[in-house]
Amino acid sequence: MMMTEFVTTFFNWDVLLEVWPLLLQGLWMTLGLAAVAVPLSIALGVGIAMAQDSRSKLVRMLLVSYVDTMRAIPPLVLLIFIFFGLPFLGVNLGEFAAAVLALTLNGSSYFAEIFRAGLESVPKGQREAARSTGLNWAQSMAYVVVPQGTRNVLPDLVSNTVELVKQTSIASAVALQELLRSAQLAQGLLYNPTPLVAAAIVYFIMFWPFVRLVSRMQNKAVVHS
């Protein structure tokens, strides 16, 4: 009897069939957020990591301040400030744009630190060799240093990407109907937690392969070291 009630409450097939279109709509929104925020975060992170090699002390200080600040502020707080605070300054962003901006600012700070560690792991001789072939600073970084540094920190990059995609759930705070928000709406409509359980299962199915990939990459790195 208790098992039947448990299944009916948390794994109700009829409820799932009824709300699945809503959950699918939320899933597409989650994937859309990730498809925009992840590349932007990676590109900005690479740019910051490369710029930290600048000879200007002021530039380096500004970049370090940016990275430290964005890492210190919880992404949810950042999103709330962007969506609800910036309008007082005359800047009005929609839910999707505000979520992308918050995720990009926060994510790029972590990617910047990862890429910086990767760039620093490349021997200086590689840079000097690249410059001796006639490549300028930007070319040597793009063709020699960044590819090698990226390979050195690939597990961390994959892991951080997974974390960034999971953080798309903060968009529910501004009523953007991503997967978590869709599950919450469905639960409220039917007074049954099955949609939340379904959303959790969808998240698990999406992320588990990448978690296993990171573990395998880390194990290989330990073996080779």
Side-chain angles (χ1 to χ4, degrees), residues 13 20 29 42 46 51 55 62 69 92-93 102 130 137 156 161 163 175 178 203 210 216:
W13 184 252
W20 180 249
M29 179 60 71
I42 292 175
V46 171
R55 296 180 179 179
L62 290 175
T69 300
N92 293 279
L93 297 177
W137 178 85
D156 294 327
T161 299
E163 290 299 319
E178 44 70 60
Y203 277 121
F210 295 99
R216 292 185 61 181

Side-chain angles (χ1 to χ4, degrees), residues 8 18 22 34 41 84 108 121 125 135-136 144 146-147 149 151 160 165 169 177 200 205 217 222:
T8 302
E18 185 173 350
L22 184 62
S41 298
F84 295 105
S108 64
S121 69
L135 298 177
N136 58 34
V144 178
V146 172
R151 285 196 298 270
N160 196 64
V165 177
S169 60
Q177 199 169 319
I205 293 173
M217 294 170 66
V222 171

Side-chain angles (χ1 to χ4, degrees), residues 145-198:
V145 180
V146 172
Q148 292 187 58
T150 299
R151 285 196 298 270
N152 293 339
V153 293
L154 196 54
D156 294 327
L157 290 176
V158 176
S159 178
N160 196 64
T161 299
V162 171
E163 290 299 319
L164 181 57
V165 177
K166 286 195 292 186
Q167 285 182 359
T168 56
S169 60
I170 67 171
S172 62
V174 293
L176 186 64
Q177 199 169 319
E178 44 70 60
L179 181 56
L180 178 60
R181 176 64 175 173
S182 296
Q184 291 171 335
L185 290 174
Q187 181 193 22
L189 289 172
L190 299 177
Y191 302 99
N192 187 285
T194 296
L196 289 176
V197 175

Side-chain angles (χ1 to χ4, degrees), residues 34-89:
V36 177
V38 170
L40 288 177
S41 298
I42 292 175
L44 184 56
V46 171
I48 293 172
M50 293 174 61
Q52 286 182 330
D53 197 40
S54 172
R55 296 180 179 179
S56 172
K57 185 177 181 180
L58 177 61
V59 170
R60 294 197 304 271
M61 289 178 58
L62 290 175
L63 293 175
V64 169
S65 298
Y66 167 83
V67 170
D68 289 347
T69 300
M70 290 300 110
R71 293 180 67 186
I73 300 177
L76 178 59
V77 174
L78 187 60
L79 173 59
I80 291 174
F81 172 78
I82 290 172
F83 187 75
F84 295 105
L86 290 185
F88 289 98
L89 302 178

